[in-house]
Amino acid sequence: MFRISTAMFYNQNTTRMNDLQARLLKTTEHMSSGKRILTPQDDPVGAARALDIRQGKAMNTQFKENRAYARESLNLEEGTLTSVTSRIQSVQTLLVAAGDGAYSEDELRAISTEIKSMRDEMLGYANTRNSYGDYIFSGYQAKTQPFVQDPLGNVSYNGDNGQRFLRVDSARTIPVNDSGANVFTNIRGETPAKLTSTTNQLTASVAIKDQANWEAMQRTNPGNYYDVQFSGSSPNVSYTITHRDAGGTAISMTDPVTGNPVTSITGTYTGRENEPLVITQGGVEIVINGWLPDDPTQSQPQAQSMSITPGDPVSQDVFAILNEAIALLDSPLDGTPAAKTNLSLGLAASMNKMASALDRTLNVRGLTGSRLKELDALDTSGEDKNLQYTDAISKLEDLDYYTAISELMQNQTMLEAAQKVFLQTTNLSLFNIM
């Protein structure tokens, strides 16, 4: 027989009731917090899983903040490039207007003044800073002013080619800026073609028709030109075209009729308005217009000549292009057709380069817009992930109130029963029945 002392009896019952009281209190704490897991010991596996999910949710929240910063940066860049686009288009309009042969020197200088103002505005856009004081077009050199203008109006780039990237999702990083080198510099174009003529009656235009052929010709024979000799009066003018290098040596051409290589091309030029002389060689198209009269003092028709030098390939920043156009418009004119032709050729070169600058700006704007669109998609995905994380944590940690209430009632009943048994047992004594 196992004998229990009075002290042991009291200790066992007290321990039992304390355990039941603790269980009741624990259930009450779960119900008041609404959580099934208050400490890891409640469910070690579930607690570890919930911790992992919480870390994933915290990362998702950080990515959301990163996307907000990226969106702010890209919206600023997109807005700035929109303004730059508008100024480039305004300059193009002014250059087209300046090409009107009826404009006087004063009117051309007025256009030059407008372009100067737009150049200064674009310089301000190129040096835009965000709310943190960082230059958005300086590459990695966020605290360095990217474009600096000297007293002569020349602009230099002090940034680099870097792009700052930001992680906006677990598997995606995007650039939040574009360097000024990528937006405003290395604009491809050509130097102005030049016309030299012994007659004031002829004008010419030069257009690039085959970019690769033209660039190859200019690399192989820099300074090459087309020598055109005329004889006679319109509408019966004979001409001879010779393509020469910078030293005057003839360069082989392609006969437009036979396709064979030749050293010169001959023909008849009428001079009528709708019958220009068109030369297509070396990737360029030269169009000559004008009427050639006889010199009444000569017994034979007067010989006339002209040479056209195509422009060379060049890469410039947009500010250098604008400065060239400004200098061209500020130059005095002698009023001759040759001078007006050279003005037109210079303006044509400037317009071509401004068209390239516009294409560059629109391309960067398109990239910026695609990044913003991607951020919108990632925001939607991030919100979905956040809901999934929240739901997973809820399933792991949230309390089932029906089960908790049942457990609470059970623990309370067990405690009350233990208390009653203890009370009744302690009242058992031989003295009660003596």
Side-chain angles (χ1 to χ4, degrees), residues 243-254:
H243 190 191
R244 302 183 185 277
D245 62 20
T249 303
I251 301 173
S252 177
M253 295 188 295
T254 302

Side-chain angles (χ1 to χ4, degrees), residues 320-372:
I321 297 170
L322 292 172
N323 285 338
E324 280 189 358
I326 291 167
L328 182 66
L329 294 170
D330 285 340
S331 301
L333 297 176
D334 61 17
T336 63
K340 290 182 179 179
T341 295
N342 281 321
L343 173 62
S344 297
L345 292 173
L347 291 173
S350 294
M351 285 188 283
N352 288 339
K353 286 183 278 192
M354 290 306 295
S356 296
L358 179 61
D359 289 342
R360 176 77 65 79
T361 305
L362 292 176
N363 181 59
V364 177
R365 280 183 63 189
L367 293 174
T368 303
S370 67
R371 295 169 199 157
L372 287 168

